[in-house]
Amino acid sequence: MDSLTHLLGTFGQILQSQLFPRLREELGEMSEHHEQFVRALALLEMEGFVAVRHGRGRPAHDRAKVARAFLAKAVFHIPHTRALLDRLAHDTVLRRLCGWETAAQIPDETVFSRAFAEFAHSEFPQRVHAALVQRTQSERLVGHILRDATAIEVREKPGPKPKPAAPAARARIARQDRPSAPSR
């Protein structure tokens, strides 16, 4: 744990003393969420994991920018892709951190949907996570025990069983339109 704490401490000092002042100078004022997003981008180093497509037809949108936008969606707690696109269109700092200079450069919602499907198919998040763990925890032995401490409501003794209700007694109604049968 000491190596991770040391790494994050050094990382934080570099961000605070060098990177954030330059970003503020370039982009303007940044909120706490913007700073969290920059920290996550710098720590994850996702750029090398995004597949670049080449082929016929129209050039593909830059998947690295879309991946950064999906990370922003998580950091900013944005529930839907449509809301993310609206945020990117109006938040200049976030848009530029993701890599788009103007709102017109942001791809359509369908591009985000296809990119998300590609990320899921290529196991992009798992590969980024594995690389992060490898980079930060390679010198440690990680062991853990999981215990489920969920309270389960039970009774000590079985409760009394409910007695079945006695069937209602049928009242005999004598029919007056028919004579009663003669007894033998």
Side-chain angles (χ1 to χ4, degrees):
M1 187 68 172
D2 191 37
S3 65
L4 178 62
T5 306
H6 177 69
L7 173 73
L8 291 177
T10 305
F11 181 71
Q13 289 173 355
I14 292 170
L15 285 177
Q16 292 295 335
S17 65
Q18 296 175 9
L19 182 61
F20 285 146
R22 297 275 318 256
L23 284 174
R24 283 189 192 96
E25 184 181 303
E26 178 69 25
L27 301 173
E29 194 57 37
M30 294 183 0
S31 71
E32 180 61 32
H33 282 297
H34 289 112
E35 291 182 9
Q36 285 177 349
F37 177 59
V38 170
R39 284 187 203 104
L41 280 174
L43 185 63
L44 291 177
E45 297 176 3
M46 301 184 314
E47 305 303 316
F49 298 98
V50 179
V52 179
R53 294 184 351 190
H54 298 287
R56 294 184 183 177
R58 181 177 182 193
H61 290 277
D62 189 355
R63 293 297 193 240
K65 294 176 184 177
V66 176
R68 286 191 292 267
F70 275 120
L71 179 62
K73 183 178 174 182
V75 171
F76 282 79
H77 308 290
I78 300 173
H80 306 290
T81 303
R82 181 75 251 159
L84 172 65
L85 292 173
D86 291 341
R87 179 74 184 251
L88 287 170
H90 295 96
D91 188 346
T92 307
V93 174
L94 180 61
R95 182 177 60 240
R96 291 188 65 199
L97 285 173
C98 288
W100 294 294
E101 289 296 320
T102 64
Q105 294 174 333
I106 300 171
D108 192 48
E109 190 172 1
T110 57
V111 173
F112 274 81
S113 178
R114 284 193 300 270
F116 187 73
E118 286 177 21
F119 294 155
H121 181 70
S122 68
E123 296 183 347
F124 170 74
Q126 291 88 339
R127 291 185 292 129
V128 170
H129 180 259
L132 175 66
V133 170
Q134 179 67 32
R135 199 169 51 250
T136 60
Q137 304 297 317
S138 63
E139 298 173 6
R140 287 188 59 215
L141 175 63
V142 178
H144 62 281
I145 298 173
L146 298 175
R147 292 190 179 122
D148 186 5
T150 305
I152 301 173
E153 189 176 324
V154 296
R155 293 188 297 257
E156 292 292 322
K157 295 181 186 177
K161 293 185 179 180
K163 295 181 181 180
R170 293 186 179 181
R172 296 190 175 224
I173 300 174
R175 298 202 171 206
Q176 295 180 1
D177 59 338
R178 265 202 265 175
S180 61
S183 48
R184 297 183 193 194

Tab-separated table of all heavy atoms in Angstrom, residues 17 40 48 57 70 75 101 130 151 157 169-170 182:
chain	number	residue	atom	x	y	z
A	17	SER	N	1.197	21.254	-9.113
A	17	SER	CA	2.218	22.271	-9.313
A	17	SER	C	2.489	22.602	-10.782
A	17	SER	O	2.901	23.714	-11.091
A	17	SER	CB	3.524	21.847	-8.642
A	17	SER	OG	4.043	20.686	-9.276
A	40	ALA	N	-8.125	11.622	-13.546
A	40	ALA	CA	-8.473	10.280	-14.046
A	40	ALA	C	-7.830	10.019	-15.407
A	40	ALA	O	-7.307	8.926	-15.652
A	40	ALA	CB	-9.991	10.130	-14.138
A	48	GLY	N	-3.376	4.479	-25.387
A	48	GLY	CA	-2.779	3.331	-26.071
A	48	GLY	C	-3.712	2.154	-26.257
A	48	GLY	O	-3.384	1.200	-26.966
A	57	GLY	N	-14.026	4.151	-47.201
A	57	GLY	CA	-15.142	4.988	-46.784
A	57	GLY	C	-14.694	6.190	-45.983
A	57	GLY	O	-13.533	6.577	-45.970
A	70	PHE	N	-16.586	9.279	-22.582
A	70	PHE	CA	-17.250	8.290	-21.728
A	70	PHE	C	-16.674	8.318	-20.310
A	70	PHE	O	-17.398	8.119	-19.341
A	70	PHE	CB	-17.162	6.888	-22.324
A	70	PHE	CG	-18.242	6.614	-23.321
A	70	PHE	CD1	-17.929	6.290	-24.627
A	70	PHE	CD2	-19.583	6.673	-22.968
A	70	PHE	CE1	-18.929	6.043	-25.551
A	70	PHE	CE2	-20.586	6.434	-23.882
A	70	PHE	CZ	-20.260	6.116	-25.178
A	75	VAL	N	-17.189	10.466	-14.507
A	75	VAL	CA	-16.669	11.405	-13.505
A	75	VAL	C	-17.709	12.464	-13.154
A	75	VAL	O	-17.878	12.822	-11.988
A	75	VAL	CB	-15.360	12.061	-14.003
A	75	VAL	CG1	-14.932	13.202	-13.088
A	75	VAL	CG2	-14.256	11.026	-14.105
A	101	GLU	N	-12.448	20.981	-30.329
A	101	GLU	CA	-12.315	22.432	-30.185
A	101	GLU	C	-13.662	23.145	-30.276
A	101	GLU	O	-13.918	24.089	-29.562
A	101	GLU	CB	-11.360	22.989	-31.246
A	101	GLU	CG	-9.916	22.612	-31.013
A	101	GLU	CD	-9.353	23.193	-29.718
A	101	GLU	OE1	-9.662	24.354	-29.394
A	101	GLU	OE2	-8.600	22.475	-29.042
A	130	ALA	N	-6.787	-3.481	-16.141
A	130	ALA	CA	-5.676	-4.415	-15.937
A	130	ALA	C	-4.331	-3.695	-16.026
A	130	ALA	O	-3.423	-3.958	-15.229
A	130	ALA	CB	-5.752	-5.546	-16.955
A	151	ALA	N	-27.594	-8.548	6.738
A	151	ALA	CA	-28.509	-9.060	7.758
A	151	ALA	C	-29.687	-9.753	7.072
A	151	ALA	O	-30.291	-9.210	6.158
A	151	ALA	CB	-29.010	-7.921	8.638
A	157	LYS	N	-37.539	-19.449	16.641
A	157	LYS	CA	-38.426	-20.618	16.675
A	157	LYS	C	-39.481	-20.427	15.593
A	157	LYS	O	-39.868	-19.307	15.291
A	157	LYS	CB	-39.147	-20.719	18.019
A	157	LYS	CG	-38.248	-20.973	19.188
A	157	LYS	CD	-39.089	-21.068	20.441
A	157	LYS	CE	-38.229	-21.190	21.665
A	157	LYS	NZ	-39.039	-21.212	22.873
A	169	ALA	N	-71.259	-23.416	8.645
A	169	ALA	CA	-72.369	-24.374	8.682
A	169	ALA	C	-73.439	-23.920	7.701
A	169	ALA	O	-73.793	-22.750	7.659
A	169	ALA	CB	-72.940	-24.459	10.091
A	170	ARG	N	-73.941	-24.887	6.957
A	170	ARG	CA	-74.981	-24.548	5.984
A	170	ARG	C	-76.333	-24.542	6.673
A	170	ARG	O	-76.694	-25.493	7.367
A	170	ARG	CB	-75.008	-25.557	4.859
A	170	ARG	CG	-73.779	-25.510	4.025
A	170	ARG	CD	-73.950	-26.423	2.868
A	170	ARG	NE	-72.775	-26.381	2.014
A	170	ARG	CZ	-72.653	-27.062	0.917
A	170	ARG	NH1	-73.614	-27.858	0.524
A	170	ARG	NH2	-71.566	-26.962	0.199
A	182	PRO	N	-92.673	-38.095	1.727
A	182	PRO	CA	-93.267	-38.885	2.826
A	182	PRO	C	-92.230	-39.853	3.406
A	182	PRO	O	-91.423	-40.399	2.682
A	182	PRO	CB	-94.398	-39.629	2.179
A	182	PRO	CG	-94.125	-39.613	0.717
A	182	PRO	CD	-93.250	-38.438	0.470
